Amino acid sequence: MTGYRIQRRITPLIVGLMVALFAVASMGTLSDVSDDEAGVVPDMLTPVYYLAGSAAPFRIAVDQFIAHARQIRFSHPFDDGTGMLPDLLTHTTGVFGSVKGPNQGSQHHPAVDLYVTDRISDVALYAAHDGLVQTYRDAAKYRHYLSITKEIVDEGGSLLGLIVTLYAHLDLDRDEASGLNLDGDVVQQGDLLSRHLYAGTVGGPHLHLEIRYYRPTDLGVETFYGSRFGPSGNTNLTLASEGIWSYGSWHPDVGYGFADPRNHGLNLP
Ligand SMILES: [Zn+2]
């Protein structure tokens, strides 16, 4: 198998350094995780977070959750466990937080897009982390997608929130036809998730990889997007996040936000 080696040798050093920097930076203030902290890149959090004062209970809860969530290190979804990425992985576009959507400047892509070469759609994808799998077929925005949900707990075992990782633009019908259906299963990091990207995606087959941060009480998936509710007609919607990132309208009571994969140790080409 040809390919290029993931920076396995230096990645632990970098990750170790980042963890050390993070540990020093957060010493005594674990509940205060600001986006501009050393070694950490901005996530895209709900407007409620940015609008709240630093002493607001919601903000403290988010900071505590994120401090724990960022300890979950992901593996690359194209890595079959050998440490090699396939040659067909070409490039990343739609980088986390890039501007996207009809309202240029008001919406940002809260995910990364990993493209493959020559419109190949037979691509094996692997779990970036462990958790419970759910599959979905009814999402116009993603077509088929698969999610992995992992609970984030504090030292005392209390549930702080959920990491939900979305693998979107899949062809789950073809997976199922070949006997692969993980809906409801618990997977481990590196387990096979899918063998098929959707062939008809605009711009060519690619994996839309998205990391969502949910509150412990959040159950919905699609409703995480404010855009689901429409840009008007719901006075509970904010027009846009007031923080570093914005994502159009967003229901203020739903979720914590979206994570930059780099905050989970995922170095993308
Ligand atoms: Zn995307």
Side-chain angles (χ1 to χ4, degrees):
M1 181 179 185
T2 58
Y4 57 90
R5 178 164 291 279
I6 297 178
Q7 297 168 321
R8 270 278 160 87
R9 287 176 190 154
I10 58 171
T11 297
L13 290 174
I14 294 170
V15 169
L17 184 62
M18 287 180 67
V19 169
L21 281 171
F22 179 73
V24 169
S26 62
M27 208 175 286
T29 57
L30 190 62
S31 64
D32 183 12
V33 184
S34 61
D35 282 339
D36 53 7
E37 201 164 85
V40 175
V41 290
D43 290 323
M44 193 188 300
L45 302 174
T46 177
V48 177
Y49 177 86
Y50 295 111
L51 293 172
S54 59
F58 180 79
R59 186 156 186 148
I60 292 171
V62 174
D63 286 344
Q64 186 186 20
F65 165 79
I66 289 178
H68 287 80
R70 284 179 178 164
Q71 293 171 14
I72 308 299
R73 314 315 289 177
F74 290 0
S75 57
H76 198 292
F78 283 67
D79 181 1
D80 63 0
T82 63
M84 304 287 285
L85 297 181
D87 283 336
L88 56 83
L89 180 62
T90 57
H91 64 284
T92 303
T93 63
V95 293
F96 184 82
S98 62
V99 174
K100 193 171 187 177
N103 266 331
Q104 290 289 308
S106 70
Q107 292 196 338
H108 295 257
H109 184 240
V112 290
D113 293 332
L114 304 175
Y115 281 82
V116 297
T117 187
D118 299 330
R119 306 192 75 87
I120 294 170
S121 57
D122 292 346
V123 180
L125 302 171
Y126 304 89
H129 62 87
D130 64 306
L132 173 67
V133 172
Q134 293 170 280
T135 58
Y136 303 86
R137 285 178 165 82
D138 60 351
K141 186 174 294 191
Y142 302 107
R143 191 180 154 82
H144 297 175
Y145 68 98
L146 177 153
S147 68
I148 303 179
T149 299
K150 181 178 178 61
E151 294 187 344
I152 303 299
V153 298
D154 67 12
E155 291 77 4
S158 295
L159 184 62
L160 300 175
L162 309 170
I163 282 184
V164 179
T165 308
L166 264 68
Y167 306 77
H169 308 326
L170 309 182
D171 192 333
L172 294 174
D173 290 338
R174 291 183 66 204
D175 279 333
E176 197 163 315
S178 66
L180 181 62
N181 182 356
L182 298 175
D183 192 37
D185 287 1
V186 171
V187 294
Q188 301 303 313
Q189 185 175 48
D191 282 356
L192 179 69
L193 293 180
S194 172
R195 295 190 188 88
H196 301 102
L197 290 171
Y198 178 53
T201 309
V202 174
H206 67 275
L207 172 66
H208 171 100
L209 179 66
E210 186 172 309
I211 306 162
R212 296 178 177 187
Y213 285 163
Y214 282 91
R215 296 196 282 183
T217 52
D218 293 330
L219 297 175
V221 175
E222 271 301 281
T223 52
F224 193 76
Y225 271 107
S227 55
R228 171 85 168 191
F229 296 86
S232 61
N234 186 336
T235 55
N236 292 326
L237 290 177
T238 55
L239 291 177
S241 166
E242 297 294 327
I244 298 168
W245 306 108
S246 63
Y247 194 70
S249 53
W250 192 338
H251 195 291
D253 296 331
V254 177
Y256 287 147
F258 302 92
D260 188 313
R262 289 172 291 180
N263 291 330
H264 292 278
L266 201 52
N267 297 313
L268 300 167

